[in-house]
Amino acid sequence: MRLDDIDPTRNARDRGFGGGGGGGGGIMNLLFFLPMIFGRKVGCLMIVVILGAMAVFGMFGGGGMNTGTTPATQVASGQNGGAAGTACSTGARLESCRVMALADTTWEQIFQQAGQRYSPATINFFTGNVQSGCGAASSAVGPFYCPADHGVYLDTAFFDELDQRFRASGDAARIYVVAHEMGHHIQNLLGTSGQVSRAQARASETEANRLSVALELQADCFAGVLFGRNRARLEGGDIEEGMTAANAIGDDTLQRQSQGGVRPETFTHGTSAQRMAALRKGLESGDPGVCTF
Ligand SMILES: [Zn+2]
């Protein structure tokens, strides 16, 4: 994907090397769903699903539903590392900073067209462990988004893992990863992720997992929208690279590799086929309205 002409985002922070991290609550990531505290069952999850769908259609279809959340304060430089300028300096970081800038521009246009106010996300680079607005987290969980501070968190070592362990190479595979986390940012702005996490707190584990799959597939679809809205930037092989990455990180594929079998009730992100279909849907239409929850 051609990104060279894009100024990297100014909303970038270098969080440096972390120590002693644990699992952060409430984060949304690319691979694994962090353990949540599940409470009693309720039977009204469909209401939340419908509300989530209304949030999207209300916004993108010109309806009057106000689903915005209060934007977090933007911080220009980190408490634990360099300012935005140095955070985006190296190859993989520079590329991700450009993707963030492209995503902010693209989504801002979409929000403006729908008469809604957009607020940008921040990208936080770290190595090992990091203290996010959602608690401490380790790079072992993969890249993630923290709704509380509107932050995408990325240890770029994950890109080596993507290449070597998941056999998903190429820039579009990496761009898909960042675009997926930005999909969670959009869900946060729409209020969808908040509704889902409240419903999950009351749901059975199986129901909570089902909600998680729907949320993750919508984030994949939103990632596709970023590609679809910037078709002129696509180069040969980009779509295949994105699809290869989506295929590699499907729950069924990951479980088959690590456990030798699949347990669909434990899926949190969707199957490889579902993830590829969601990415393709957003990509082909370029329309977030197709990314139903
Ligand atoms: Zn995710």
Side-chain angles (χ1 to χ4, degrees):
M1 197 172 189
R2 269 193 319 101
L3 300 171
D4 334 8
D5 59 315
I6 299 173
D7 285 334
T9 183
R10 297 177 62 82
N11 297 318
R13 277 180 272 180
D14 185 353
R15 299 292 197 138
F17 290 86
I27 71 174
M28 293 181 282
N29 70 345
L30 189 83
L31 301 173
F32 313 111
F33 195 64
L34 289 184
M36 291 180 56
I37 298 161
F38 296 114
R40 61 192 170 81
K41 297 176 189 178
V42 291
C44 61
L45 287 177
M46 279 311 290
I47 294 169
V48 176
V49 172
I50 291 162
L51 279 175
M54 282 173 69
V56 174
F57 287 123
M59 181 187 143
F60 295 112
M65 209 172 156
N66 178 13
T67 56
T69 53
T70 309
T73 308
Q74 290 297 322
V75 183
S77 62
Q79 316 153 320
N80 181 19
T86 58
C88 299
S89 58
T90 64
R93 289 185 176 196
L94 178 59
E95 180 185 78
S96 298
C97 285
R98 285 179 165 146
V99 176
M100 290 293 289
L102 181 67
D104 277 332
T105 307
T106 303
W107 284 107
E108 185 166 29
Q109 282 169 358
I110 293 169
F111 273 58
Q112 274 174 359
Q113 282 161 9
Q116 302 283 330
R117 201 168 73 81
Y118 178 78
S119 85
T122 300
I123 187 158
N124 301 272
F125 297 104
F126 70 99
T127 304
N129 297 294
V130 69
Q131 189 65 44
S132 76
C134 298
S138 153
S139 59
V141 301
F144 66 93
Y145 174 77
C146 167
D149 62 10
H150 289 206
V152 171
Y153 286 79
L154 176 66
D155 181 340
T156 54
F158 177 75
F159 291 148
D160 299 329
E161 202 180 348
L162 193 65
D163 182 41
Q164 287 150 26
R165 176 179 159 202
F166 297 113
R167 303 269 171 234
S169 54
D171 62 334
R174 298 187 295 269
I175 293 165
Y176 157 63
V177 169
V178 176
H180 172 96
E181 300 311 330
M182 281 300 283
H184 287 311
H185 178 59
I186 301 309
Q187 292 172 325
N188 188 23
L189 296 180
L190 292 174
T192 315
S193 38
Q195 290 164 355
V196 168
S197 61
R198 284 191 291 278
Q200 284 174 323
R202 302 186 302 263
S204 71
E205 193 165 345
T206 303
E207 284 168 335
N209 286 345
R210 212 160 40 221
L211 284 166
S212 171
V213 167
L215 200 66
E216 296 297 335
L217 291 177
Q218 189 185 47
D220 280 338
C221 184
F222 284 160
V225 169
L226 182 68
F227 286 107
R229 289 262 172 165
N230 295 283
R231 280 193 164 271
R233 295 185 174 279
L234 294 181
E235 299 166 311
D238 279 345
I239 294 178
E240 292 73 17
E241 286 168 10
M243 289 298 160
T244 299
N247 181 47
I249 56 177
D251 285 323
D252 53 340
T253 302
L254 291 176
Q255 286 191 2
R256 226 173 263 123
Q257 285 165 356
S258 64
Q259 301 162 18
V262 295
R263 291 170 56 217
E265 72 280 6
T266 64
F267 289 173
T268 55
H269 285 66
T271 63
S272 293
Q274 286 175 318
R275 298 198 74 166
M276 285 193 289
L279 180 63
R280 190 177 292 282
K281 192 164 67 168
L283 196 155
E284 284 177 350
S285 67
D287 174 13
V290 306
C291 301
T292 48
F293 179 81

